[in-house]
Each structure stands twice: as C-alpha cells, then as structure tokens.
Amino acid sequence: MKKLMSIAAGFMLLLTVGCSNESSAGVKNKSGEWKPEQPIEITAPAGPGGGWDTTARMVSQVFEQEKIIDQRLPVVNKAGGGGAIGWSYIAGKEASPYHLFVASPPLVLVPLNGQSKYGYEDFTPLANVIADYGAFVVKADAKWNNLNELFADMKKDPASVSVIGTSSPGSMDHMQFVKIAKAAGVDVKKMKYVSDPDGGGLTAVLNGSVDVYTTGVAETIEQVKAGKIKVLGITSEERLEGEVLSDFPTAKEQGIDETFVNWRGFFGPPNMDPAAIKYYEQKFKELNDSPAWDEIRKKYGWGEQYMNSEEYSKFLKTEAESMEKLLKELGLNR
C-alpha cells in the first residue's frame, strides 16, 4: 500500500510540474525578464479572410520576417458565436504565455448583449495595434450618393431601408451603423438590420435583396475598383490615405458629428505572468514602430493606435461603459 501511495504521489507531482511548465514555460534571466522558448499560437476567433484573421496573419508575418520575435507564431481559426468560441478556447489556457488572440469591439459588445459569458475582463490585455474603420456600402447604381441622402429617407421611415452586416444584432457591424445613424437623427430603434454571419452581405447588396452593407473599409476596396459598389461614408475622423481609400468621404465631413473606431489588438489568457506581459508589450511596440508594419497599415487603410497593457485596460473600460448605454437604448443589453 505504501508503495502504491508513493507512486501515486510521484505521479501527482509530475502532473503538477507538467501543468506549471505548460502555463509558465519560458526563460527568465537574472533581472526577471521572460523570453519564449517555443512557438506562440495566435487565435483568430473567426474564419479566414476577415479583419481578425487578416490582422493576426499580418502580425505573425511581421514578427517572424522582421525577427522581432525569435519563434514561430502560427495562426489558428476558431470561428463561431461572434468570437465566443475562440474566447472560450483561450479562457481554457489560463496563465499560458503561448496563446494570444486578436480582438476588437465584439469582445466588449457580445458579452453586453448576452451572447457570451466571456468579456474583455476575463483576459489579459497586451497591446492595441491598429484602428480600423467602418464603411457603408450600396450598389453602384443605388439612388443614394451620400450619407445625408440615405439618412433623409431613413428619418422619414427607418424601416424602409434594410441594412446588413456580418455581426449579430448588438455587435460591431450593427453598432457602427447605429452610432452614425443616431447622430444623423435616425430613430435607430426602428431601423431594419439583417445579420449574415456567413459573410453574404456584399452579395445581398449586389443582388438587391438588401439596401446597405455595413462592413470594414478594407473589405470594400476591390469591389469599388471593379465599379460594382459605392461607399457612401466611412467612420474615421479624417479621410484615409491610399489608392481608392482617399476617395471615401467621412461621416464627419458630411455634417454628421460622430465616428466609430474598430480598435484591434491582442490579448492573452487570464492571469498571465507580469514578465510575459512586459515582454509582449515591448514586442508589439517594436512591431508598431517598424517600417514593415507601416506598409501593412497603409495597404489595408488601418490607422495607428498603439496602447500598452495599462492604457488598453483603461480604454476598454471606457468603451464598455459607452457601448452599454447605446445597447440599453436599443433594448439589446442583457
């Protein structure tokens, strides 16, 4: 019996050490600085091709090619639930410094509207890296040529214009349109929003089954070049730079005093070691300041919006308070 108990105790000790190694493995020097010694997995909580996926893959590419991080950074897709499937996956990697994920406003919005039990407070903010913006799109031959013409019709009858987005009601594509439309005087509680999580919004606009597509700026460029759609307005403070992008008028220049920033950054699992947090802050700052990342920002029309962990935490709290008020007005908070 004593022998069996000794074996069992030894097994438990090995199991404990194994779990500890999985969550905190890395190299700390005499100053307590942490450095990774195995690949770092980046999760995009959506399918390939969207904003999360593109951001994750571009960040991984620059980290590896510019040798900012001397490890591989494979990207994995965990689609479903507006991000909730990916968040649940990361929540199960508690304290691991080898599992990061990219996030944006849905990490605040989806929990507020009751579609996920995980929110930004359940993870470790590491750094914000970009500001992306929304675009409101119609067919090239649509009767509206700017946001004021569109919103004039919606002020008369909000439900007469159908709006489609990839996100669920109360999440990003919906709320970026709501925020601008409300500032223009539209009764947003009566507007008609259609959710298509499979990404068929552009097709729906082109075939005439819906009127307006609310999406990200980068997702519009190729179809604008092809002459199939026109962008009535975007949600940035000022016009963006770049081919095609510089032609997109902002809501503000059309007299609508509102913006919407699709901030996008990176988080780790809950309870990450402070030394690992500091390491990633420094590496994301190097990425932010690199010429390679500047080129990628220009390519996709992304703005610069670096925040370290502490700055990001404060920003997220303010964002959550603002979005909760708007969701309450729509009756979508839970």
Side-chain angles (χ1 to χ4, degrees):
M1 179 62 73
K2 286 183 178 179
K3 186 175 181 181
L4 284 173
M5 289 179 69
S6 176
I7 292 170
F11 175 76
M12 290 302 294
L13 179 61
L14 285 170
L15 185 61
T16 302
V17 170
C19 291
S20 175
N21 285 344
E22 181 181 359
S23 64
S24 61
V27 177
K28 281 189 181 180
N29 61 22
K30 291 180 181 179
S31 301
E33 294 173 332
W34 180 86
K35 180 181 178 183
E37 56 180 12
Q38 66 189 56
I40 300 156
E41 182 182 275
I42 300 178
T43 294
W52 282 339
D53 180 69
T54 302
T55 305
R57 293 184 189 280
M58 293 301 99
V59 164
S60 172
Q61 175 182 301
V62 174
F63 272 150
E64 290 186 10
Q65 291 184 357
E66 300 300 307
K67 301 190 184 305
I68 295 172
I69 293 179
D70 191 23
Q71 290 289 346
R72 293 224 42 245
L73 292 99
V75 174
V76 299
N77 296 94
K78 301 284 183 183
I85 299 299
W87 305 333
S88 177
Y89 170 73
I90 294 292
K93 304 292 184 182
E94 183 166 358
S96 169
Y98 294 106
H99 292 83
L100 312 184
F101 72 101
V102 60
S104 59
L107 186 60
V108 169
L109 290 164
V110 172
L112 285 174
N113 63 40
Q115 297 176 63
S116 172
K117 69 177 183 178
Y118 296 108
Y120 77 93
E121 310 100 317
D122 298 302
F123 302 102
T124 304
L126 298 174
N128 195 72
V129 291
I130 59 167
D132 200 359
Y133 303 99
F136 308 136
V137 172
V138 294
K139 285 176 68 175
D141 61 357
K143 65 176 182 175
W144 306 293
N145 292 304
N146 56 58
L147 287 178
N148 288 317
E149 291 176 2
L150 172 69
F151 291 143
D153 282 350
M154 292 187 74
K155 282 189 274 190
K156 294 174 188 173
D157 182 2
S160 67
V161 176
S162 54
V163 181
I164 192 169
T166 301
S167 71
S168 60
S171 195
M172 192 172 66
D173 292 342
H174 182 205
M175 298 308 289
Q176 67 184 14
F177 190 89
V178 163
K179 197 175 182 187
I180 304 300
K182 182 177 185 291
V186 174
D187 185 348
V188 292
K189 295 187 292 294
K190 296 179 180 178
M191 65 172 274
K192 181 180 178 182
Y193 177 76
V194 180
S195 173
D196 187 346
D198 295 324
L202 182 60
T203 301
V205 164
L206 292 175
N207 67 25
S209 57
V210 295
D211 299 308
V212 183
Y213 180 33
T214 169
T215 186
V217 169
E219 282 72 52
T220 68
I221 295 171
E222 294 307 315
Q223 295 299 322
V224 169
K225 284 182 179 179
K228 294 182 178 181
I229 60 172
K230 54 187 172 184
V231 174
L232 300 184
I234 60 175
T235 67
S236 57
E237 187 79 29
E238 299 175 342
R239 286 208 185 198
L240 303 175
E241 297 180 3
E243 184 186 4
V244 180
L245 293 167
S246 60
D247 295 329
F248 298 164
T250 67
K252 291 202 81 166
E253 72 183 75
Q254 297 178 66
I256 303 164
D257 191 20
E258 191 56 273
T259 61
F260 185 94
V261 179
N262 175 10
W263 50 266
R264 210 173 292 155
F266 287 80
F267 293 71
N271 301 316
M272 282 182 74
D273 189 309
I277 296 172
K278 185 175 181 181
Y279 171 85
Y280 284 118
E281 279 184 323
Q282 292 171 344
K283 294 304 178 182
F284 277 111
K285 186 66 169 71
E286 287 182 47
L287 174 128
N288 179 74
D289 296 343
S290 70
W293 187 244
D294 188 50
E295 286 301 311
I296 285 171
R297 278 198 302 253
K298 289 175 181 175
K299 178 180 177 181
Y300 291 102
W302 296 338
E304 180 180 359
Q305 194 183 31
Y306 174 81
M307 288 180 268
N308 65 25
S309 180
E310 183 178 354
E311 293 166 338
Y312 207 7
S313 296
K314 292 177 181 177
F315 170 82
L316 290 164
K317 186 176 185 295
T318 301
E319 280 289 288
E321 291 168 354
S322 173
M323 288 296 103
E324 187 171 19
K325 289 179 183 177
L326 197 51
L327 285 166
K328 281 182 179 177
E329 184 176 337
L330 296 170
L332 292 172
N333 66 304
R334 296 290 183 271

